[in-house]
Amino acid sequence: MSLSKVINHGGREKRSLSKALLKSFSLVTATAIGCISVATSATAASFSFAFGSEGSGNGQFMLPRGIAAGRGGNIYVADTDNNRVQVFNSSGVFQSAFGSQGSGNGQFRSPYGIAVSRSGNIYVADTDNNRVQVFNSSGVFQSAFGSQGTVNGQFQGPYAIAVGSSGNVYVADTGNFRVQVFNSNGGFQFAFGSFGTGDGQFQGSYGIAVGSSGHVYVADTFNNRVQVFDDRGVFQFAFGSQGSGNGEFESPYGIAVDSSGYIYVTDTFNDRVQVFDDRGVFQSTFGSFGTGNGEFSSPYGIAVGSRGNIYVADTVNNRVQVFRTPEPSSIIGLGILGGGLVVRRLAKRG
């Protein structure tokens, strides 16, 4: 199937986030502890600051999609329609940029996904060139792998990318309805997934993340769910369905996992972010449609920094918004254990 930005879903066409489609869409619990528990509900993240505006200058964007947080605090943004990657510090101050339009080394045609390894290498899903490009921490081209096709190591529109703690690179080979896994040098390891609505099948895998547990999380966009796999691609469980209620999605595109296992999903056409625990149980949500602080117009990529900041590519608003995970309530449960009173505290996120 050619990735012509169209996928038939339930008798109607679903399209990927081309510039025209994005703008058309834009216009239009508690855990018991011990014998007695005092539970508190999860609190939504709070807006911290934003950076970026529409344009092609430094610090400006044209429909940014992918976003990644590096270990040093830098933020890497796939500035898709400007065919480049921009780098910012943790305060949103522009640092550098690399890339231009084309098909040569270090050039891009609609880069969507971006990930940073522990060693600092930057992996970019060069979507319309059907390849992955690798850069060092300074943005200097190192290598590339992939070409257009359907066999192992080939792609049909790779849209998302993630790097596991072992160094393996997970690529959402969106048009081929699968995930391909490579070693850090781009050597093919294995693949999983096929077209469909069953367990382990996809209709538009546009987002991917790897948690510290090794689990692989895939935003199965047009099936309106998230699927979870182990590090060998074996299906574990799924959560979500179509709708606008808590735990429901309208085309989830981006996904990130923090160090505590919380799962953050950009519920793109509901213009919000939803947060789930490591079992896929809904915790909280933040955002609504608009242009103000904390409001979104088709949020796409999402990343969680080591200090608890949540970075969201607010795509049609041509900016990045930064949110802070709130400090959890100090006491979430009182329990009688072994005849004594036990006070349990919620582990800090991020």
Side-chain angles (χ1 to χ4, degrees):
M1 175 181 176
S2 172
L3 190 70
S4 58
K5 308 294 192 290
V6 179
I7 296 176
N8 189 278
H9 176 65
R12 59 195 177 101
E13 288 182 340
K14 288 278 193 175
R15 298 174 182 265
S16 70
L17 290 178
S18 65
K19 184 174 182 179
L21 181 66
L22 272 166
K23 291 188 175 179
S24 69
F25 266 102
S26 297
L27 296 174
V28 210
T29 104
T31 301
I33 298 178
C35 300
I36 304 172
S37 63
V38 179
T40 62
S41 59
T43 304
S46 58
F47 172 82
S48 184
F49 65 94
F51 59 93
S53 60
E54 183 173 0
S56 57
N58 292 340
Q60 295 182 318
F61 302 113
M62 287 297 293
L63 301 179
R65 267 82 166 201
I67 191 166
R71 289 172 63 87
N74 279 348
I75 307 304
Y76 302 81
V77 182
D79 187 10
T80 304
D81 280 22
N82 280 324
N83 292 290
R84 64 183 179 181
V85 170
Q86 294 197 69
V87 186
F88 302 83
N89 68 16
S90 59
S91 299
V93 177
F94 174 83
Q95 303 295 295
S96 62
F98 59 91
S100 60
Q101 185 171 14
S103 57
N105 292 340
Q107 295 181 319
F108 302 115
R109 290 178 59 225
S110 297
Y112 271 66
I114 189 167
V116 183
S117 71
R118 288 186 171 184
S119 64
N121 280 342
I122 306 162
Y123 294 80
V124 182
D126 187 9
T127 303
D128 287 350
N129 278 325
N130 292 291
R131 65 182 179 181
V132 170
Q133 293 198 69
V134 187
F135 302 83
N136 68 16
S137 58
S138 300
V140 177
F141 174 83
Q142 302 295 293
S143 61
F145 58 92
S147 60
Q148 185 170 15
T150 59
V151 303
N152 292 340
Q154 294 184 321
F155 302 115
Q156 260 322 5
Y159 272 80
I161 192 165
V163 181
S165 58
S166 66
N168 277 348
V169 181
Y170 297 78
V171 182
D173 185 11
T174 307
N176 283 324
F177 305 101
R178 65 184 177 182
V179 171
Q180 294 197 69
V181 185
F182 302 83
N183 64 24
S184 59
N185 296 319
F188 174 82
Q189 303 295 293
F190 61 93
F192 59 93
S194 60
F195 175 77
T197 60
D199 293 344
Q201 295 181 315
F202 304 116
Q203 288 200 69
S205 50
Y206 282 86
I208 192 167
V210 182
S212 58
S213 66
H215 280 167
V216 182
Y217 303 82
V218 181
D220 187 9
T221 303
F222 301 139
N223 280 325
N224 290 293
R225 64 183 178 183
V226 171
Q227 294 198 66
V228 185
F229 302 83
D230 69 14
D231 59 1
R232 298 301 303 171
V234 177
F235 174 83
Q236 303 296 297
F237 64 93
F239 59 93
S241 59
Q242 187 170 18
S244 58
N246 291 340
E248 296 179 325
F249 301 114
E250 191 61 55
S251 297
Y253 272 78
I255 190 164
V257 184
D258 71 13
S259 59
S260 297
Y262 285 93
I263 306 162
Y264 300 78
V265 184
T266 54
D267 186 8
T268 301
F269 295 145
N270 280 325
D271 295 295
R272 64 182 180 180
V273 172
Q274 295 197 68
V275 187
F276 302 84
D277 69 13
D278 58 0
R279 299 165 295 163
V281 177
F282 173 83
Q283 301 294 295
S284 63
T285 185
F286 58 93
S288 59
F289 176 74
T291 60
N293 292 339
E295 296 179 326
F296 300 116
S297 185
S298 297
Y300 195 103
I302 188 166
V304 182
S306 59
R307 298 179 182 177
N309 281 341
I310 304 164
Y311 301 87
V312 183
D314 186 10
T315 301
V316 175
N317 282 328
N318 289 296
R319 63 182 178 181
V320 171
Q321 293 199 67
V322 185
F323 299 81
R324 181 69 184 171
T325 303
E327 292 294 330
S329 300
S330 294
I331 299 175
I332 63 168
L334 299 175
I336 306 300
L337 185 64
L341 179 66
V342 177
V343 179
R344 301 272 181 109
R345 294 179 184 271
L346 185 65
K348 184 178 179 181
R349 301 182 191 177

